[in-house]
Amino acid sequence: MGNVTIVGSINMDMVTSTAVFPKQGETIKGESFVTMPGGKGANQAVAAARLGASVRMIGRVGDDPFGKILTDGLGIEGVDVSNVEPVTDCSSGIASIILSDQDNRIIITPGANDEVTVEYINQFEQVLAESDVVLLQLEIPLDAVERTLTICQKHRTKVILNPAPAYPLSDTVLSMADYITPNETEYELLFKDSNEYQGKIIVTEGEAGVSWHEAGKQKRVAGHSVQLVDTTGAGDTFNGALAASLSNGESLEKSIVFANAAAALSVQSLGAQSGMPTREEVQEHLSKKELT
């Protein structure tokens, strides 16, 4: 079992479903409400844990009821949360989501996620050094992302950078990541006019599968035919699965095949974390696919 460390966000998703979006100043009656654990960091930690890795989470929550619910939930999934500290007088990260007619409007309030600072990251240099793979996203301050990359480079720890949500990144950040995993939209924003990091980039393309370059050649694995319910969390499942497989010593191509299958299985259930498969489920799916 490989050691994966996730450095990233932990949120509570507050989801309201309604027949129509309210207009400015309007009050309407909603149809349903649910709270679900989320945040790209936490989602990827759950995915990696279910898929066979020994996972440690580095992040922060608020000293509010959501903070305890979120950390307890990660612990139940088998994620080591000893490096997740509550922030005094601060709310946990919140995503307020309104769903209507298969569309959504989302407000992200970072809360305690903004307290994942350079100083906070410096406490965990040994944890990062002992990891087989470190997985990062962009829902925490960018200087903390860069500091994590610097520590990992110092100790030759392999790093996957998931550039989401996407915004321009410096050459310093991009050069220190071993693998960069944008989706198609993120790829267009970050790399459309450059081939400089081609050998590091793994592009997730939804139903079309995944493409990447290896040994100077473009490679691709096809998507999987599954019943689509909810794509939320598919990218997080892919990244968690990729980290889990690479941490176990699998080749890049085999890890991408595994992660692609895991992401496909995740879209068959509602919610980011609820649909994330186990390692056994992914292996069974791949075995059936080989027989057809």
Side-chain angles (χ1 to χ4, degrees):
M1 184 178 289
N3 295 314
V4 174
T5 298
I6 313 291
V7 182
S9 57
I10 306 170
N11 289 338
M12 182 63 81
D13 294 346
M14 305 174 65
V15 185
T16 300
S17 297
T18 177
V20 293
F21 289 120
K23 298 175 184 177
Q24 184 172 347
E26 182 182 22
T27 299
I28 63 173
K29 183 179 180 180
E31 296 178 337
S32 66
F33 173 79
V34 64
T35 57
M36 296 184 290
K40 287 188 173 297
N43 290 344
Q44 292 174 11
V46 170
R50 289 189 187 173
L51 293 165
S54 176
V55 180
R56 290 174 288 192
M57 180 85 208
I58 296 176
R60 306 205 77 176
V61 294
D63 62 348
D64 52 17
F66 283 154
K68 179 170 173 50
I69 293 169
L70 291 166
T71 51
D72 286 352
L74 287 169
I76 290 169
E77 292 288 349
V79 177
D80 182 338
V81 293
S82 58
N83 302 318
V84 177
E85 296 181 8
V87 183
T88 304
D89 298 325
C90 183
S91 69
S92 296
I94 296 295
S96 300
I97 305 168
I98 301 176
L99 299 178
S100 181
D101 193 24
Q102 297 183 322
D103 197 3
N104 62 60
R105 297 181 182 182
I106 303 173
I107 301 173
I108 301 289
T109 307
N113 292 308
D114 276 348
E115 299 303 317
V116 182
T117 61
V118 169
E119 292 74 22
Y120 188 72
I121 294 297
N122 284 338
Q123 300 178 65
F124 306 112
E125 179 166 351
Q126 192 60 36
V127 173
L128 297 170
E130 293 171 354
S131 303
D132 295 308
V133 175
V134 169
L135 177 54
L136 286 160
Q137 328 76 33
L138 301 179
E139 290 185 337
I140 58 173
L142 187 56
D143 56 356
V145 171
E146 185 169 342
R147 179 57 183 159
T148 302
L149 285 161
T150 300
I151 291 171
C152 290
Q153 188 175 59
K154 172 184 174 182
H155 295 283
R156 299 183 180 180
T157 302
K158 190 173 296 182
V159 180
I160 301 169
L161 173 63
N162 177 217
Y167 50 84
L169 295 169
S170 68
D171 288 337
T172 300
V173 168
L174 295 173
S175 64
M176 288 191 288
D178 294 277
Y179 303 110
I180 306 168
T181 56
N183 62 24
E184 291 175 286
T185 302
E186 292 154 358
Y187 177 81
E188 286 293 311
L189 175 65
L190 297 172
F191 303 108
K192 181 181 179 180
D193 300 320
S194 173
N195 293 321
E196 186 173 354
Y197 300 101
Q198 192 175 68
K200 298 184 175 191
I201 299 170
I202 302 165
V203 186
T204 56
E205 301 173 351
E207 294 180 3
V210 184
S211 63
W212 76 103
H213 283 78
E214 192 172 0
K217 296 181 180 180
Q218 184 171 22
K219 294 188 174 184
R220 173 181 293 277
V221 294
H224 296 254
S225 179
V226 294
Q227 184 176 359
L228 176 61
V229 175
D230 183 7
T231 60
T232 306
D236 292 334
T237 302
F238 177 89
N239 280 278
L242 182 67
S245 185
L246 288 172
S247 75
N248 282 324
E250 301 290 356
S251 69
L252 178 60
E253 182 165 356
K254 190 170 182 179
S255 296
I256 290 173
V257 169
F258 179 80
N260 184 46
L265 292 178
S266 75
V267 306
Q268 298 180 107
S269 300
L270 183 66
Q273 295 182 15
S274 59
M276 292 175 171
T278 64
R279 186 174 189 84
E280 291 73 25
E281 288 170 335
V282 177
Q283 290 172 333
E284 181 181 358
H285 177 76
L286 287 171
S287 296
K288 289 180 179 178
K289 189 175 177 64
E290 289 176 358
L291 294 173
T292 58

